């Protein structure tokens, strides 16, 4: 153990601990912009400088290890002076129009500048804007980039997509798409992880809230909104609601207050997905020579995009079941429209998703099986939903809980856990067991698939077959998985992959908490909501059962195939 003093506090920490982490352990936050633990420890921003007694040069706290007897000052006059100059230099090359920045009030650069009392920028350089296609779902504003390198490292190390690179030198240094490509020609899967790890507003999703407000104001349009499982775990975070205060009922009430005509649950469609994908798995297992193995889940569009860009020869391994978002859209513009006697062309189908890639999924040319335009018209991230709540001056604390509408609003605990890594697998196994054994298992019988590691392998006995399963989150983990499969180092029957670490709860469209990961906590919320549900098995969802009786007939029927399945094309 190492003994040291930080700002007068004596402490003992293990050897190798960084000064920043030692300080955090006693409640002293050293300001920083570029640092991300184990991912970006390069001290590019120089904001975390601290003074060490007896040393003339300041050191960077993020990547300097503690030393025996060290006496550290994190906020001495010298530290404040140098830190202030370093921040002023960053601001001199930054577009400081905070009032019109999407990250206003949630920007670490803004906070640190304010804390340092910087009210004017003494140096000012004209920062040129690099060209960008603003119709693409991910937008980069080079004038707000502070060259912290977080996006480069997240995309390289966590997602293995290598989309970003540094360009030019000196004061012209910037980050842009690597190899002089345009973003739409790059490998970007739209996972959005670079957005949630950007400390400023240099990266953001395309804002579609204006389109949603226009649909709400159009008297001809019936607005039908669906909310993804993971959204309910995070929508209250930026609104100051804590834990159970940000309930599903208040979320529904907020959507109704905004003015949506029907508020439905993507969880309903997740249950429907289990019926279709589970049946597909059993059909494939029964005719195993006809199919490529393993079967992959297909509900995460970041993962589907990854396969199509990097391993197109494995596209046929993906389940043909569409994602719950897309199944919902197809059902809303057919089954629901028919039941209500609404012309599907008058329905505007909107989703609230924790994901940026869902914007692209909804716009794919083959996602219009209901024959009334795209099945899903507008996709909003959780962050955009929160902006709409704010724009409408809604204080969720004063809202009374409301229930989802029917007939696409009922869901089970199995649909709920789709939003956390391992959840699709667990939900599918609950129903597959029931089909094979003729009775339900214990609802938590397959909890072995839960966990924080990026890759988990588990075997389950189903009838006379042992099912080898694998669950992965994060695309760098997916890349290792694919290489293992390709090289024959491993073999599975059923594989679930989610592009974002932790699953959709850690999605690229979720609220941003600079440098902090919230996926685990949000995943815990989904498991709690699952355990509190009366129904825990997708096949017991009464509205799903009714939809089969009244409209779809049975899983994998002709209608189901037409509306709920698609081939994945490159
Ligand atoms: Fe997801 Fe899914 S779980 S992909 O993470 O299968 O986005 O939450 O909506 O479609 O249900 C996302 C979440 C979401 C789909 C479902
Ligand atoms: Fe990389 Fe994901 Fe960002 Fe695309 S969205 S650049 S894949 S981190």
């Amino acid at each position: 153990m190492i003994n040291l003093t930080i700002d007068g506090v004596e402490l003992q920490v293990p050897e190798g601990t960084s000064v920043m982490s030692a300080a955090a352990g006693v409640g002293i936050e050293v300001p920083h912009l570029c640092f991300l633990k184990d991912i970006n420890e390069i001290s590019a921003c120089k904001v975390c400088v601290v003074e060490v007694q007896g040393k003339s040069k300041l050191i960077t706290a993020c990547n300097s290890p503690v030393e025996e007897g060290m006496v550290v000052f994190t906020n001495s006059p010298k530290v404040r002076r140098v830190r202030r100059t370093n921040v002023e230099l960053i601001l001199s090359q930054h577009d400081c129009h905070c009032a019109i920045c999407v990250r206003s009030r949630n920007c670490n650069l803004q906070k640190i500048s304010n804390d340092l009392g910087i009210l004017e920028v003494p140096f000012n350089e004209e920062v040129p804007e690099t060209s960008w296609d603003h119709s693409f779902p991910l937008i980069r504003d080079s004038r707000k980039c502070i060259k912290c390198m977080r996006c480069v490292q997240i995309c390289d190390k966590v997602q293995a997509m290598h989309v970003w690179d540094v360009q030019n030198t000196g004061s012209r240094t910037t980050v842009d798409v690597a190899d002089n490509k345009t973003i739409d020609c790059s490998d970007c899967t739209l996972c959005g992880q670079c957005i949630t790890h950007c400390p400023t507003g240099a990266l953001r999703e395309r804002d579609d809230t204006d389109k949603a407000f226009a649909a709400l104001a159009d008297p001809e349009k019936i607005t039908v909104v669906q909310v993804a499982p993971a959204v309910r775990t995070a929508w209250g975070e930026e609104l100051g609601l804590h834990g159970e205060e940000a309930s599903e009922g208040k979320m529904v009430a907020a959507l109704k207050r905004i003015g949506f005509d029907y508020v439905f649950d993507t969880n309903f469609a997740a249950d429907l997905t289990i019926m279709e994908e589970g049946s597909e798995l059993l059909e494939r297992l029964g005719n195993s020579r006809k199919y490529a193995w393993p079967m992959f889940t297909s509900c995460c569009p970041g993962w589907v995009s990854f396969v199509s860009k990097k391993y197109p020869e494995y596209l046929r391994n993906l389940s043909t079941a569409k994602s719950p978002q897309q199944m919902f859209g197809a059902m809303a513009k057919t089954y629901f429209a028919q039941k209500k006697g609404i012309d599907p062309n008058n329905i505007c189908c909107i989703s609230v998703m924790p994901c940026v890639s869902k914007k692209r999924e909804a716009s794919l040319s083959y996602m219009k099986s209901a024959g009334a335009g795209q099945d899903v018209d507008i996709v909003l991230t959780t962050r955009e939903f929160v902006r709409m709540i704010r724009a409408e001056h809604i204080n969720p604390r004063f809202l009374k809980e409301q229930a989802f509408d029917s007939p696409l609003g009922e869901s089970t605990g199995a649909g709920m856990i789709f939003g956390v890594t391992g959840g699709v697998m667990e939900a599918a196994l609950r129903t597959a067991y029931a089909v094979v054994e003729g009775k339900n298992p214990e609802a938590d019988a397959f909890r072995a698939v839960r966990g924080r590691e990026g890759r988990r392998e588990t075997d389950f006995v189903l009838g006379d077959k042992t099912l080898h399963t694998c669950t992965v989150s994060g695309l760098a983990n997916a890349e290792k998985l694919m290489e293992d499969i390709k090289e024959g180092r491993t073999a599975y029957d059923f594989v679930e992959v989610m592009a974002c670490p932790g699953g959709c709860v850690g999605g690229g469209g979720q609220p941003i908490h600079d440098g902090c990961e919230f996926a685990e906590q949000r995943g815990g919320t989904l498991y709690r909501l699952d355990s509190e549900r009366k129904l825990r098995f997708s096949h017991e969802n009464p509205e799903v059962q009714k939809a089969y009786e009244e409209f779809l007939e049975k899983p994998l029927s002709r209608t189901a195939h037409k509306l709920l399945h698609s081939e994945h094309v490159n």
Side-chain angles (χ1 to χ4, degrees):
M1 296 296 273
I2 303 286
N3 299 289
L4 74 159
T5 306
I6 303 181
D7 293 347
V9 181
E10 290 178 5
L11 61 153
Q12 237 191 10
V13 291
E15 197 176 341
T17 307
S18 71
V19 172
M20 182 185 283
S21 150
V26 289
I28 298 169
E29 195 201 335
V30 181
H32 55 274
L33 285 167
C34 67
F35 173 76
L36 275 183
K37 187 158 173 36
D38 300 329
I39 295 167
N40 200 34
E41 303 187 350
I42 56 173
S43 69
C45 69
K46 304 274 185 287
V47 172
C48 68
V49 284
V50 294
E51 186 173 1
V52 179
Q53 190 171 294
K55 288 196 180 172
S56 58
K57 273 180 76 175
L58 301 186
I59 61 166
T60 44
C62 71
N63 58 357
S64 300
V66 293
E67 288 170 20
E68 184 59 38
M70 221 178 194
V71 178
V72 180
F73 301 97
T74 70
N75 214 17
S76 65
K78 183 173 176 183
V79 167
R80 276 205 299 277
R81 202 174 55 246
V82 174
R83 185 177 288 149
R84 185 184 172 108
T85 305
N86 291 346
V87 174
E88 284 170 346
L89 284 167
I90 292 169
L91 292 173
S92 73
Q93 294 192 322
H94 180 79
D95 169 7
C96 295
H97 290 95
C98 290
I100 52 168
C101 180
V102 74
R103 290 291 296 276
S104 191
R105 292 185 288 185
N106 181 19
C107 167
N108 216 13
L109 178 59
Q110 190 182 50
K111 177 185 181 301
I112 289 170
S113 306
N114 267 278
D115 290 351
L116 285 164
I118 301 175
L119 300 176
E120 274 174 41
V121 184
F123 336 99
N124 233 322
E125 284 184 40
E126 194 58 40
V127 189
E129 188 183 2
T130 46
S131 66
W132 198 265
D133 172 5
H134 282 243
S135 67
F136 195 73
L138 178 143
I139 291 173
R140 172 165 216 115
D141 184 344
S142 55
R143 295 165 306 175
K144 292 185 191 289
C145 174
I146 59 166
K147 282 74 93 176
C148 69
M149 307 299 288
R150 280 186 180 182
C151 58
V152 179
Q153 303 271 39
I154 281 282
C155 194
D156 282 359
K157 290 184 183 164
V158 180
Q159 299 300 68
M161 298 312 291
H162 314 290
V163 170
W164 306 115
D165 203 357
V166 180
Q167 293 193 347
N168 304 328
T169 52
S171 66
R172 297 177 145 265
T173 305
T174 188
V175 174
D176 208 338
V177 184
D179 305 324
N180 289 320
K181 285 184 181 162
T182 50
I183 187 73
D184 56 323
C185 296
S186 75
D187 275 346
C188 178
T189 60
L190 283 169
C191 70
Q193 289 300 309
C194 53
I195 299 176
T196 49
H197 290 84
C198 176
T200 71
L203 288 161
R204 64 179 170 88
E205 72 275 61
R206 182 189 66 219
D207 187 292
D208 290 323
T209 57
D210 281 353
K211 282 187 215 153
F213 279 124
L216 287 161
D218 184 342
E220 300 288 307
K221 288 285 176 208
I222 308 286
T223 49
V224 171
V225 68
Q226 59 167 314
V227 195
V231 171
R232 70 207 68 201
T233 69
W235 73 282
E237 288 168 8
E238 278 185 41
L239 297 168
L241 301 178
H242 301 292
E244 295 176 33
E245 214 181 355
S247 64
E248 285 180 289
K250 285 206 174 200
M251 178 183 76
V252 173
L255 287 159
K256 296 230 170 190
R257 178 71 73 82
I258 289 171
F260 291 102
D261 295 310
Y262 293 92
V263 180
F264 290 133
D265 201 347
T266 310
N267 293 12
F268 161 87
D271 283 331
L272 191 57
T273 301
I274 288 301
M275 300 304 289
E276 293 297 323
E277 193 166 326
S279 304
E280 184 186 353
L281 176 64
L282 294 175
E283 140 79 17
R284 286 194 190 208
L285 286 168
N287 296 280
S288 64
R289 310 240 322 251
K290 221 171 108 186
Y291 295 101
W293 292 96
M295 180 169 120
F296 294 138
T297 56
S298 57
C299 50
C300 167
W303 155 241
V304 172
S305 166
F306 169 91
V307 176
S308 92
K309 284 169 195 287
K310 290 205 161 187
Y311 298 93
E313 68 277 26
Y314 283 88
L315 279 171
R316 66 207 176 104
N317 293 58
L318 289 163
S319 160
T320 61
K322 287 182 188 167
S323 74
Q325 164 173 276
Q326 294 307 131
M327 284 198 185
F328 178 91
M331 290 293 281
K333 290 192 176 180
T334 54
Y335 175 59
F336 166 73
Q338 284 167 28
K339 266 178 100 81
K340 293 280 173 188
I342 303 170
D343 177 352
N345 289 298
N346 289 340
I347 291 182
C348 181
C349 188
I350 298 158
S351 341
V352 184
M353 294 281 141
C355 175
V356 181
S357 204
K358 290 278 174 198
K359 287 184 189 265
R360 180 163 60 193
E361 180 184 63
S363 69
L364 292 172
S365 59
Y366 52 93
M367 292 298 184
K368 43 184 171 199
S369 46
Q374 295 300 124
D375 293 336
V376 173
D377 299 288
I378 301 169
V379 179
L380 305 169
T381 61
T382 313
R383 294 189 293 271
E384 287 171 281
F385 170 39
V386 172
R387 295 208 284 277
M388 287 183 82
I389 293 177
R390 285 196 172 131
E392 290 289 330
H393 307 294
I394 296 168
N395 182 344
R397 284 225 165 81
F398 290 84
L399 293 172
K400 284 218 168 59
E401 307 222 334
Q402 282 186 262
F404 285 105
D405 289 308
S406 180
L408 310 176
E410 179 78 70
S411 70
T412 72
M416 183 74 73
I417 55 176
F418 261 56
V420 55
T421 175
V424 182
M425 178 69 72
E426 189 173 341
L429 289 169
R430 287 182 194 175
T431 286
Y433 180 97
V435 172
V436 172
E437 302 289 343
K439 58 175 196 275
N440 282 346
E442 280 293 308
D444 291 322
F446 304 105
R447 60 179 307 138
V449 297
R450 301 179 188 180
R452 288 175 63 190
E453 329 80 279
R455 176 165 164 182
R456 292 177 301 289
E457 303 174 3
T458 322
D459 287 350
F460 296 102
V461 178
L462 270 192
D464 55 4
K465 166 121 186 97
T466 299
L467 202 65
H468 304 294
T469 75
C470 181
T471 315
V472 169
S473 73
L475 290 175
N477 294 322
E479 186 180 63
K480 285 193 205 94
L481 164 88
M482 291 309 291
E483 288 304 312
D484 285 348
I485 291 175
K486 226 173 132 173
E487 297 304 320
R489 288 190 288 264
T490 187
Y492 305 109
D493 299 306
F494 189 29
V495 174
E496 177 205 299
V497 182
M498 289 292 181
C500 293
C504 291
V505 282
Q510 294 279 61
I512 299 171
H513 305 273
D514 192 274
C516 301
E517 306 298 339
F518 270 55
E520 199 185 345
Q521 174 179 327
R522 295 170 186 153
T525 302
L526 288 185
Y527 286 127
R528 174 177 60 79
L529 291 171
D530 167 33
S531 71
E532 289 169 3
R533 277 288 203 270
K534 218 167 63 221
L535 298 173
R536 312 255 331 254
F537 299 90
S538 295
H539 55 275
E540 292 187 342
N541 181 328
E543 290 190 346
V544 167
Q545 289 170 345
K546 203 157 174 206
Y548 278 109
E549 272 162 41
E550 295 180 345
F551 183 66
L552 292 165
E553 288 175 49
K554 58 179 189 196
L556 307 182
S557 69
R558 269 172 80 104
T559 313
H561 261 293
K562 177 171 175 283
L563 296 176
L564 310 180
H565 292 254
S566 67
E567 295 302 324
H568 301 279
V569 287
N570 202 353

